[in-house]
Amino acid sequence: MPTLAEVQIATLADGLILVSPWKPLVMVVTLCAWAWVIANVYDKHAARFFLPRTKWNLAHLTLGTLSIAAFVLMPVPGLAGFFAGWGAMIVLLGGSLLSYMVSVKNDERVPEDYKIKIGGKKVDPAVLEARKKAKGAGAVKLAIKGPDKADVPAPPANTPEYELRTAAEAVYISALSKRASQVDIAPVPGAKDGAYAPSFIVDSVRQPGEQMPGPAAFKLIDFWKTAAKLDVNDRRRKLVGDIAVSQGADSHKVRVTSIGVQGGMRLTLLFDPADAVKRKPDDLGLLPDQMSELKVLTGITQKTPDGDPYPEEVRKGVVLLAGVPDGGRTSTMLTILQMHDAYTSGVVTVELEQQANLEGIRHVIFDPTAEGADFATAVRSQLRRDPDVLGVAEVPDANTMKEAARSDLERTRIYLSMRAESALAAVDAYLKGLGDNELAAKSLRGAVANRLIRRLCTNCRVAYPPTPDMLKKLGIADPKQAPQLFKKGGQVLIKNKPEVCPVCAGIGYFGCEGVFEVFRFGPEEREFIAQGDLAGLRAQLRKRNLLSLQQAALKKAITGVTSVEEVTRVTSTGT
């Protein structure tokens, strides 16, 4: 007979084994197999096709936790309880896997060949061939889709086509790293060996790239033209096509334009063209008084500060929109057009190339290659339909000005967008184009001009006190009222060591905005126009305290938006 001590030891030993050792092992193996699939298949699949990884991982984790709880807390005793708990775990974990599989099956972001499937379904021979080609293709950084949404395939590695693809991608990636809005590949002026070079427009300023031989440049141009489904053999006419380019999660719409120029061809890659020209009125850069003047011109404000109504003619007639190439003129015109209510008024544009689709506005695109095409005739055709507002995106000749000036000025507001250094330069061009000062004075109601000015990088700009000469230029007589000015920096102190500013990459500027002239012409101003007296018109505008481009830009320097050096660069001509 066992002693009392032996009975106590045996009872204690039996109590240490609460469940069979193989039961938790089954649970761990099942859970590990499920976790391996989640981590090595599903999570990588979600990352590859930019699916919501965080949401799915949280869902998987929740179901995994519930499966453990179902296994451990199953209330049924004995072996039946174990199998019931294990079955519940398998159902929950299987539901986790199946829910992702079903979701992916209906997701357009995942190609058909990459959807997760169960079973040994026979693979189409064409799919096998595509996989074989993909394995042999070189590693590319960009995914390029043509106008038909079809992928531009990566060529095989170690081939001339692959080297061309990587060279084309290098130009694109370099542009994005510089924050460029546009890339041009064109002949280098004066180069004797026919060299080409890319150039990048960054914050409205063109930056040159490294030169390349002409034959290499032609291959790059042909690559992008082929991607946009343009005729590579047509090296003279202007050809335009849109493509989509993505690098990981970063995706852009790119407008590809090619045209023959002196010395060869020019290719332009314009990034996100619609987004580049769309602005809200408050984002243009107008000063408060200028915005007030513009609201009167567009009819948003119809009463004077004294409460008297403005004459109806203020909202009709011709308004000139002036600017330099790549200076924001298109953005200004489209924004002003959107200040008119397109649902209560008929708003129409006549454009050579549609930059953006504006809600409620009818865009008429003029094709200069069409037989018998004439821009002035296209404008006249639209004016005969009596629109309330007509925006003419370009004024190529005097006939277009005459059509606008001779239209029904009591019914229609016409915006003529034209290349000119300033508002008064646009008025001068209008006078010369019409050849009739009286007609010009009768039709004109205002002129708006703008330039783009770079904003100082607030991370590295450097403050300094203005000199007496600078105070005089700013029109500040009392030195005690001198503001603190800023100039570009480009470097910041990191652990007491100067390093390149990480925000602006050492440029000293980041982003840009407009500086404006907004002139509304009343009877007195139109009298000067009728006399062809631009000096008198300038004096009259100053008498009304309407700011010139330079004065508006200096106000931005005083408030620290930009630098005096940038003001000088932007307004050195035409002011």
Side-chain angles (χ1 to χ4, degrees):
M1 173 177 271
T3 63
L4 178 61
E6 289 174 340
V7 170
Q8 289 176 339
I9 293 173
T11 303
L12 182 59
D14 290 340
L16 292 176
I17 303 176
L18 302 180
V19 295
S20 302
W22 60 272
K23 293 180 180 179
L25 182 61
V26 169
M27 180 191 75
V28 171
V29 170
T30 304
L31 193 63
C32 286
W34 168 83
W36 185 91
V37 174
I38 295 297
N40 293 279
V41 180
Y42 280 25
D43 186 58
K44 291 181 179 180
H45 186 273
R48 180 175 186 180
F49 297 105
F50 307 104
L51 305 180
R53 296 172 65 193
T54 302
K55 184 190 78 172
W56 278 112
N57 287 335
L58 182 60
H60 293 318
L61 181 62
T62 301
L63 288 174
T65 303
L66 291 175
S67 70
I68 296 174
F71 184 90
V72 175
L73 302 178
M74 181 59 64
V76 180
L79 193 60
F82 164 75
F83 283 109
W86 188 35
M89 168 178 268
I90 292 175
V91 169
L92 289 170
L93 296 182
S96 167
L97 299 177
L98 188 62
S99 61
Y100 181 85
M101 189 183 305
V102 172
S103 176
V104 167
K105 182 179 179 180
N106 300 320
D107 199 312
E108 296 180 351
R109 290 172 289 186
V110 182
E112 184 63 31
D113 194 37
Y114 291 93
K115 298 191 186 295
I116 298 176
K117 302 174 183 178
I118 299 176
K121 183 179 178 181
K122 185 178 180 181
V123 181
D124 191 327
V127 173
L128 290 175
E129 182 65 22
R131 289 177 178 175
K132 184 177 179 180
K133 290 183 178 179
K135 289 181 179 179
V140 295
K141 296 181 179 179
L142 303 179
I144 304 174
K145 291 182 180 292
D148 56 358
K149 311 301 181 184
D151 291 324
V152 177
N158 302 318
T159 63
E161 292 78 11
Y162 177 71
E163 293 180 2
L164 176 60
R165 172 70 178 256
T166 56
E169 291 189 352
V171 173
Y172 177 92
I173 294 171
S174 176
L176 290 188
S177 67
K178 298 175 185 292
R179 298 186 295 105
S181 59
Q182 178 177 314
V183 183
D184 293 287
I185 302 176
V188 177
K192 297 181 180 180
D193 55 355
Y196 275 62
S199 60
F200 310 89
I201 295 181
V202 182
D203 296 336
S204 77
V205 177
R206 190 174 294 277
Q207 297 182 4
E210 295 184 4
Q211 292 189 15
M212 64 181 72
F218 268 96
K219 290 180 179 179
L220 281 180
I221 291 173
D222 286 348
F223 171 83
W224 289 110
K225 289 180 67 176
T226 301
K229 305 296 183 183
L230 303 179
D231 185 359
V232 295
N233 295 317
D234 191 338
R235 302 188 180 278
R236 183 181 58 85
R237 293 185 305 152
K238 182 178 181 179
L239 304 175
V240 182
D242 291 337
I243 62 176
V245 184
S246 58
Q247 184 179 16
D250 185 31
S251 181
H252 298 274
K253 293 181 179 179
V254 181
R255 178 156 296 164
V256 181
T257 305
S258 70
I259 189 171
V261 296
Q262 184 177 0
M265 288 185 62
R266 181 179 72 238
L267 179 89
T268 298
L269 302 179
L270 179 62
F271 303 125
D272 301 314
D275 295 340
V277 296
K278 286 184 178 180
R279 293 288 186 277
K280 294 181 180 178
D282 292 339
D283 295 335
L284 286 176
L286 291 154
L287 298 173
D289 290 344
Q290 294 177 327
M291 178 62 80
S292 298
E293 283 287 292
L294 188 59
K295 286 182 177 180
V296 175
L297 276 174
T298 56
I300 294 177
T301 301
Q302 299 188 7
K303 291 186 177 181
T304 68
D306 297 330
D308 299 323
Y310 285 105
E312 180 70 17
E313 68 172 18
V314 171
R315 299 185 291 278
K316 307 301 180 182
V318 176
V319 173
L320 306 178
L321 305 179
V324 297
D326 299 321
R329 180 161 49 101
T330 301
S331 294
T332 298
M333 187 192 81
L334 296 181
T335 302
I336 289 176
L337 290 177
Q338 290 181 99
M339 294 175 72
H340 294 271
D341 190 345
Y343 294 100
T344 59
S345 305
V347 183
V348 182
T349 68
V350 180
E351 306 170 67
L352 293 172
E353 181 181 328
Q354 184 173 338
Q355 298 293 336
N357 185 24
L358 303 180
E359 186 176 358
I361 295 177
R362 185 165 63 90
H363 298 270
V364 177
I365 309 303
F366 173 75
D367 183 5
T369 63
E371 184 176 353
D374 178 77
F375 193 82
T377 302
V379 171
R380 181 173 68 246
S381 175
Q382 296 305 315
L383 286 170
R384 286 178 174 175
R385 302 184 182 187
D386 292 330
D388 296 295
V389 181
L390 176 66
V392 181
E394 195 63 64
V395 181
D397 51 34
N399 288 335
T400 303
M401 299 182 192
K402 292 175 182 177
E403 293 293 346
R406 294 168 182 168
S407 63
D408 186 354
L409 301 176
E410 294 182 358
R411 177 174 175 77
T412 304
R413 158 55 51 84
I414 304 171
Y415 294 102
L416 294 181
S417 179
M418 54 198 302
R419 298 187 182 191
E421 296 281 352
S422 65
L424 292 186
V427 173
D428 186 39
Y430 189 68
L431 287 169
K432 293 177 180 177
L434 294 182
D436 185 339
N437 292 355
E438 291 289 342
L439 181 59
K442 179 183 177 182
S443 59
L444 275 181
R445 295 295 179 268
V448 178
N450 80 280
R451 305 272 185 91
L452 290 178
I453 198 164
R454 291 180 295 176
R455 292 192 294 261
L456 283 167
C457 174
T458 56
N459 190 56
C460 64
R461 65 181 182 179
V462 179
Y464 69 97
T467 63
D469 290 342
M470 183 60 64
L471 289 176
K472 184 178 180 180
K473 186 176 182 179
L474 296 174
I476 300 174
D478 186 1
K480 295 181 180 179
Q481 297 180 353
Q484 186 179 51
L485 300 181
F486 293 88
K487 59 183 178 181
K488 72 172 185 177
Q491 291 185 328
V492 292
L493 289 177
I494 299 178
K495 296 182 178 179
N496 295 324
K497 292 183 179 180
E499 294 190 16
V500 173
C501 175
V503 175
C504 66
I507 297 175
Y509 297 94
F510 190 91
C512 56
E513 63 181 55
V515 289
F516 286 83
E517 291 174 327
V518 182
F519 299 150
R520 177 168 49 89
F521 298 149
E524 293 180 345
E525 288 78 21
R526 294 205 297 274
E527 182 62 31
F528 286 111
I529 294 172
Q531 298 171 6
D533 185 1
L534 293 184
L537 176 61
R538 187 191 302 273
Q540 174 64 16
L541 296 173
R542 287 177 177 173
K543 184 178 178 181
R544 289 174 53 194
N545 294 320
L546 298 179
L547 298 177
S548 68
L549 283 169
Q550 186 180 67
Q551 291 169 329
L554 285 173
K555 282 186 173 291
K556 291 181 181 292
I558 292 173
T559 56
V561 172
T562 191
S563 66
V564 174
E565 292 78 12
E566 179 69 0
V567 171
T568 302
R569 181 190 71 82
V570 169
T571 64
S572 58
T573 59
T575 57

